[in-house]
Amino acid sequence: MAIVKEVYTRKVSGETFDYELDYTQGADVAWIARVSHDGVLKGSPHGALTANVLSGPALEQYLRAYVEGMIERGLDLAE
């Protein structure tokens, strides 16, 4: 399992969120992100990719962009 720890700042509000993204690699990818704001867990969006062809940095970038998009839109996060 790969783990990525990042900080994301919403473009509109300027709020900063920390997230930790855990994911598996291979044809079937499972992932979960733990998103917090000011030390408070706001949500744990998760999902899976089937028939995945991405690997290494490309897979990581895809998942990071997906999670950051969810943070930007407030999806699966408690306000």
Side-chain angles (χ1 to χ4, degrees), residues 31-60:
W31 65 271
I32 184 167
R34 284 169 293 288
V35 181
S36 59
H37 176 65
D38 291 335
V40 177
L41 182 66
K42 293 295 185 176
S44 296
H46 58 280
L49 301 174
T50 57
N52 173 56
V53 296
L54 299 174
S55 63
L59 176 59
E60 179 182 321

Side-chain angles (χ1 to χ4, degrees), residues 1-3 23-30 52 54-57 59-60 63:
M1 180 162 285
I3 300 174
Y23 62 95
T24 59
Q25 298 190 39
D28 295 315
V29 175
N52 173 56
L54 299 174
S55 63
L59 176 59
E60 179 182 321
L63 292 172

